[in-house]
Amino acid sequence: MNTPSENNRGQWGSRLGFILAAAGSAVGLGNIWRFPYVTGENGGAAFVFVYLLCVFLIGLPLLYVELSLGRASQRNPVDAFKATRPGSPFFLTGFICLAACFVVLTYYGVIAGWTVGYFIAQITQTQLDFAEYTANPVAVLPVFALFIVGTIYIVSAGVEKGIEKWSKMLMPLLFFLIFVIIVRSLTLEGASKGLSYYLDPDFSKIDGKVVLMALGQAFFSLSVGWGLMITYGSYIPKSQNIVTSGFWVAIADTGVAILGGLMVFPAVFAFGMEPDAGPGLTFVTLPAVFAQMPAGWFIGALFFLLLSVAALTSSISMLEVPVSYFVDKDKGARKTSAILVGVFAFVVGIPSALSFGASETLTKLELFGKIGFQGIIDQVFGTLCLIVISLLLSLYVGWVWKPKNAIREIEEGCPWFTKPFAGAVSLASVWTVFIKFICPIVITLVLLDGLGVDLFGDAAATEAAKPE
Ligand code: PHE
């Protein structure tokens, strides 16, 4: 470990350091690659509306669950359960967390590799055909490997010197560039149709599948429901205010997702593309926008570079979760476990990399209404697993560990959490109602509905999402 702290696990160096590292984890391909295409596949503005509700009513309360559990226990996701309630079988949730982080890392690295490839293409001013590029293993596997090596390198360096230092420098630059691109996208001819698709909701499009996907996207994007915030929470000093820090993370994450859509949708319509084109959406539209800008190749290169970095601050956090588990077992194991888990993630990720045309079997594989190996894994680990973990987390803190223990933890660093506001209720009591009742009930209903009706309701929902 590089960071001195009482228990030698590592700790954030400053409040801003934590916020930026957590926001760095939250902001990533989930906002700029996944959010636009999932929005496009689920009907546009109505999906965005449900997504926002999911973030603030379900995601944010659960973010506090994870942060308080992490800071109270000072442990990785598995041992956080064991330390707070010895003997309870809930620690198994922690293993699902490790599995979800690991498996999603395997394909996240593939997509991040594409962004590196697009960066190179912009610099060399080469036009990439998305379908052709992603189907070419010789093109995608090396950049995937490169990306995983970068991830391993930073995680090996430890909490403060690695993750925190990089997040602080590069996140602000990404925000700035996104604004520049939005201005161009919005001023394209025909952009307004995209804007109304994206911002003017048609509520009749909301069904069980849309809510399931919105909830899954909220968890994916906030990095909630992965145990990651337990791990990151365990590095927060007691004096820090979890409530405001967590709130800023949610605002930054949602902000970038909404801005991501503002970059993509006006361009989708201006160029006459289809919003439900799937995972290629961002990669196809944005280069077309750059081509319309002065010094577009440069702006494009900078954008894909920063997107790669945003993906890196997310992928390091995914790798950090399993690594923190091994580091808590053996303090000296950071470097070795980062290398082993990282290399293994690369190997396991190869089928995902090949499922965009390189291997016909993997590309055409069909399960749970999703086509293609990567899409199926994403549906199971990047959506369903998170929802299940979140349900277990709210049940655990609401009914087993008990909200009063979490509240005591949150109160340290945030004394006003338990003070009644104007009327009679405190934020702590509102949060308790959410954790004990609202979150578990809503998540269960969404899960059952999404699972029961036509297993993920894909076919029907896609139909319903089409304009009449
Ligand atoms: N939230 C990240 C994104 O939006 C993905 C992520 C999930 C990162 C879980 C870390 C842990 O891209």
Side-chain angles (χ1 to χ4, degrees):
M1 287 300 304
N2 290 318
T3 10
S5 76
E6 320 106 60
N7 55 9
N8 198 29
R9 297 178 70 249
Q11 209 174 56
W12 305 114
S14 68
R15 174 174 148 82
L16 190 66
F18 162 70
I19 296 180
L20 286 177
S25 164
V27 175
L29 297 173
N31 309 58
I32 290 167
W33 162 70
R34 198 177 190 272
F35 176 74
Y37 90 76
V38 174
T39 301
E41 282 178 344
N42 289 282
F47 174 87
V48 178
F49 174 78
V50 182
Y51 163 77
L52 288 176
L53 289 182
C54 290
V55 167
F56 289 101
L57 297 182
I58 310 290
L60 191 57
L62 279 163
L63 178 59
Y64 296 148
V65 163
E66 288 200 32
L67 291 177
S68 59
L69 191 56
R71 198 176 65 173
S73 65
Q74 302 276 301
R75 296 284 189 290
N76 64 77
V78 175
D79 293 305
F81 291 93
K82 289 188 180 165
T84 46
R85 186 49 58 108
S88 132
F90 269 91
F91 74 91
L92 293 172
T93 313
F95 283 111
I96 316 182
C97 292
L98 302 196
C101 283
F102 174 79
V103 175
V104 173
L105 175 62
T106 67
Y107 71 77
Y108 201 86
V110 172
I111 316 296
W114 297 350
T115 63
V116 177
Y118 268 70
F119 162 67
I120 299 171
Q122 289 285 336
I123 287 208
T124 53
Q125 306 195 28
T126 331
Q127 199 95 39
L128 285 188
D129 178 90
F130 177 78
E132 226 170 77
Y133 174 72
T134 52
N136 180 357
V138 182
V140 295
L141 286 177
V143 277
F144 172 29
L146 184 72
F147 186 81
I148 293 286
V149 169
T151 306
I152 294 175
Y153 177 76
I154 297 181
V155 172
S156 311
V159 175
E160 189 185 347
K161 295 225 172 73
I163 301 171
E164 185 171 341
K165 191 177 101 192
W166 283 83
S167 308
K168 260 193 198 157
M169 286 188 309
L170 296 163
M171 295 300 296
L173 198 54
L174 179 69
F175 285 108
F176 172 73
L177 200 66
I178 288 176
F179 273 109
V180 175
I181 298 168
I182 288 176
V183 171
R184 177 67 271 216
S185 193
L186 281 177
T187 48
L188 289 169
E189 202 173 322
S192 62
K193 258 192 278 150
L195 212 52
S196 66
Y197 173 83
Y198 183 50
L199 296 178
D200 185 12
D202 167 0
F203 291 108
S204 66
K205 287 186 177 162
I206 299 176
D207 60 13
K209 157 86 183 335
V210 167
V211 182
L212 178 81
M213 294 312 287
L215 191 62
Q217 174 61 25
F219 290 148
F220 189 102
S221 186
L222 276 176
S223 300
V224 162
W226 308 71
L228 180 256
M229 291 297 177
I230 300 180
T231 303
Y232 272 28
S234 75
Y235 307 138
I236 305 181
K238 295 279 182 193
S239 57
Q240 276 194 30
N241 186 329
I242 292 182
V243 179
T244 45
S245 299
F247 183 72
W248 283 117
V249 172
I251 291 288
D253 183 58
T254 320
V256 176
I258 296 294
L259 295 176
L262 275 181
M263 286 195 300
V264 171
F265 286 108
V268 166
F269 283 80
F271 296 129
M273 299 170 184
E274 290 300 325
D276 60 355
L281 196 63
T282 297
F283 287 95
V284 176
T285 40
L286 290 186
V289 177
F290 301 140
Q292 307 268 327
M293 297 170 93
W297 68 271
F298 176 72
I299 294 179
L302 198 57
F303 173 79
F304 281 114
L305 180 67
L306 290 172
L307 185 56
S308 309
V309 174
L312 193 60
T313 55
S314 298
S315 65
I316 52 185
S317 67
M318 285 179 201
L319 182 57
E320 178 66 20
V321 174
V323 166
S324 72
Y325 176 73
F326 294 115
V327 170
D328 281 346
K329 299 265 164 287
D330 166 9
K331 302 271 179 269
R334 173 167 286 274
K335 199 165 179 183
T336 325
S337 41
I339 295 175
L340 289 181
V341 179
V343 170
F344 191 46
F346 174 75
V347 175
V348 178
I350 293 177
S352 287
L354 301 182
S355 70
F356 292 89
S359 148
E360 190 162 326
T361 326
L362 291 168
T363 309
K364 299 220 168 114
L365 203 64
E366 208 174 334
L367 206 62
F368 308 137
K370 291 276 160 186
I371 301 173
F373 186 79
Q374 185 275 332
I376 296 166
I377 300 261
D378 178 61
Q379 183 74 338
V380 176
F381 289 91
T383 301
L384 273 181
C385 246
L386 308 187
I387 295 183
V388 170
I389 294 171
S390 303
L391 175 62
L392 293 172
L393 266 172
S394 59
L395 291 176
Y396 179 72
V397 172
W399 299 94
V400 182
W401 188 41
K402 297 283 158 54
K404 66 172 192 298
N405 290 312
I407 291 171
R408 201 173 309 133
E409 185 61 40
I410 297 174
E411 221 184 349
E412 262 192 80
C414 181
W416 49 263
F417 191 56
T418 45
K419 303 268 181 305
F421 274 102
V425 285
S426 65
L427 204 55
S429 17
V430 177
W431 179 78
T432 306
V433 174
F434 270 86
I435 290 313
K436 287 184 90 138
F437 303 104
I438 301 183
C439 293
I441 293 172
V442 171
I443 298 174
T444 309
L445 289 179
V446 172
L447 195 60
L448 289 180
D449 193 54
L451 284 175
V453 195
D454 162 36
L455 204 63
F456 306 119
D458 230 30
T462 320
E463 269 317 297
K466 295 247 160 69
E468 312 287 290

